[in-house]
Amino acid sequence: MAAAQTPRRRLSSSQRRKLGVSLIGAAALSAVLTAHAAFAPQAFRLTALVFDTYQTLKPREATDPPVAVIDIDEASIGQLGQWPWSRRTVADIVERASGLGAAAIGFDIVFSEPDRTAPGRLVEEMRRQGVAIEVGSGLPDPDAQLAEAVASNAVALGIALTNESSSPAPEPKAGFSFVGPDPRARLVPYSGALSNLPDLTKRATALGYFSFPPTADNIIRTFPLIAKSGDQLYPALSIETLRIAQQAGSFVLRSAGTAEGSAMTDLRVGALDIPLSADGEIWIYYSGLPHMPVISAADFFDPAKAATLMAQIQGRILLVGTSAVGLRDIVATPVDRAMAGVKVHAEIIDQIASGVFLQRPDWIVGAERAAAVVAGLVLLAVLATATPALSVAVALVLAALITGGSWLVFSRALTLFDPLLPLTSLAAVLLTALPLLLMLTHREKRFVRESFGRYLSPTLVERLSENPEGLTLGGEDRELTVLFSDIRGFTTLSERLSPTELTGLLNNFLTPMTDVLLKREATIDKYIGDAIMAFWNAPLDITDHPQKACLAALDMVSGLERLNRESGLNLKIGIGLNTGMACVGNLGSDQRFSYSCLGDSVNLASRVEGMTKLYEVSILVTEDVRARTSGLVFAEVDRVRVVGRKAPVTLHALIGEEGESAADSDLLPAHATFISAWQAGDFSSARLHLQDLLKRSPNPLSGTHALYRDRLAELPETAPPDWDGVFTASSK
């Protein structure tokens, strides 16, 4: 006989919802991470725009920069003529700038062709055109004059490294010392260069490249300070001018790793240390250089501006470049869509000199991916267990933390952390898993409302629709304030009415009473004929629930008075309140259950309601209720040992709210004096006070006082030795 198979355990609706949301969210998260890795260059275009925004919001703090620009601007071209000028003019600028105290001069220009204005070239051109001309020997050579000026002063000539030319780059003027493995393999090689005239290159003491590597969107954010052509390393024009300004001999390049897998870490130029990316780049942190002198080249030939030039030049590094639109040295940067290229090199020099660097270390990419995974998984966990509204709120909080964290590490640590990948992960998880969650949640809520909406309170139905797991049997211990109410003399009244009339009466009574209770945040437990049972602080937490229960009881009495006026009836109710621990939850059987509460505190509330008949008051509360309220008027009526309990309970009549009670202002103090005498066994004093109380009108405690009159009539003049002032009830 085959062995019986164990029945396969079915997943609950909640478990199926969690599983579905988790699977689709995890798939979306994986897809985002895979796509980001596969299309990293394209994704970085968006990342770069974020970093551009950060620089716009918080540019580098402006300084009094150690650099100035000699600008071949439109005014200079208008005064000195079309570019290129005679090399004699350029040499004069070099000599005059050096004479005014320039620390070093760097050319963001290449002198790749002989001077077209040289006298020798002009004579040869005239002869070629058939003009007979004789000149003496020793014609001035402007190129030689510029070479002499370059050789005699601290000048760095510029070259343009390119892959569009096969002309070899000249020999570099500065060497590199390595601390760590040789990092040449990290550098992208250039096939050639646009260089200066051989004589200029030979006489120069410094040589640096200024060409900007191409970018996807043509915005200059980074610049490699070291480049390779052939087997030679070349410094950028910025660090080459810094080197000669400090009269340093060579560069010290530090790297880490192995010869096969090395990465650059930093570069030392004289006394300055520069952190580098693994590929030798620096992130340019723009300030806009608002305090940097920009000197028109024509000013060097205006004697009236000599004193101004000295103040602008002395001790500074000068970069010679152009802002003239026609010369096409205009580039886009994060802070300026049309910046002269020479100003970018000036920004690099100022940044290095000030020691303020943006950083994007190699490990940051791993941190961004880890943040994406953690944020996605946290949101996924919330989606699988919480409501859609809470899930969206958590997603917004996570997005704010990621964005704020990215900005914080930029503004405080100058570290570039890309928030887009974590934000995209959050969006992907939310936009794929949330629709599924909404669909499944809506289906569960509809089932709960259709199944239980006819016989559970609206609050409970809403809670159950939000958390269907609450339909399982069992309960929890919670502090509750429990209310029982009952119509006085209802049995006698029902004998005089037909069933139809009795039903109408109950409906007219229970409807306003229910409205009052629900308005005060009560949970209606059940109706038992004319009786109502309700409680506070479950299933939802209700702050100040004893206070709200007392106010609800007062509202019920007021509502009954209105009902009596409108109907011509004379109904009276008794209400009992108690606060204490109880077990509350879905109680019953597997076939049928209801949300209710049970426990000694619940039984006591029922007993307290029963005592309202004896003391002829509308509302009685226990000491636990009275002690947790404020702004209400109470009167202690007795200490009672109710049926089923050994310990006595102090009962208080709830008279009303402070300032609204109709009782005489002296009534309650006099009543308190009477109760004290009664409990102390001072019957003679109690009788005297009671006689006064019985004469008071209006007196909301008249029934209570009449009860004490009857009790005292049956007691001796003095209290027995075992007197404790506690009344033992014989019925519920």
Side-chain angles (χ1 to χ4, degrees), residues 10-20 384 440-441 443-445 447-448 468-469 471:
R10 295 182 60 187
L11 296 177
S12 66
S13 62
S14 174
Q15 290 171 325
R16 289 195 300 271
R17 181 186 65 199
K18 292 178 181 179
L19 180 61
L440 296 176
T441 302
R443 188 169 65 182
E444 290 179 347
K445 286 184 178 181
F447 168 76
V448 170
E469 290 85 351
L471 293 173

Side-chain angles (χ1 to χ4, degrees), residues 99-171:
L100 291 173
I105 302 172
F107 278 93
D108 185 26
I109 300 168
V110 176
F111 303 104
S112 59
E113 297 177 353
D115 188 347
R116 61 181 176 81
T117 67
R121 294 194 67 191
L122 293 175
V123 169
E124 290 297 325
E125 179 62 21
M126 294 175 68
R127 287 173 178 170
R128 189 180 65 79
Q129 295 181 15
V131 178
I133 185 171
E134 295 293 332
V135 295
S137 61
L139 289 176
D141 184 354
D143 288 326
Q145 291 173 335
L146 178 57
E148 180 61 29
V150 167
S152 303
N153 298 285
V155 176
L157 292 181
I159 62 172
L161 296 177
T162 178
N163 286 319
E164 298 176 1
S165 171
S166 59
S167 300
E171 289 289 324

Side-chain angles (χ1 to χ4, degrees), residues 208 311 587:
L587 309 176

Side-chain angles (χ1 to χ4, degrees), residues 399-470:
L401 290 175
I402 291 167
T403 304
S406 174
W407 170 254
L408 189 64
V409 297
F410 170 81
S411 58
R412 298 289 180 86
L414 299 182
T415 299
L416 299 172
F417 179 90
D418 176 18
L420 293 183
L421 177 58
L423 291 177
T424 303
S425 299
L426 283 176
V429 171
L430 188 66
L431 295 179
T432 54
L434 184 60
L436 178 63
L437 175 63
L438 289 171
M439 182 187 70
L440 296 176
T441 302
H442 175 72
R443 188 169 65 182
E444 290 179 347
K445 286 184 178 181
R446 185 175 61 185
F447 168 76
V448 170
R449 291 190 179 108
E450 291 176 352
S451 302
F452 299 94
R454 291 186 295 271
Y455 54 90
L456 292 181
S457 67
T459 302
L460 181 56
V461 171
E462 186 60 29
R463 183 187 178 187
L464 292 179
S465 67
E466 296 294 338
N467 182 24
E469 290 85 351

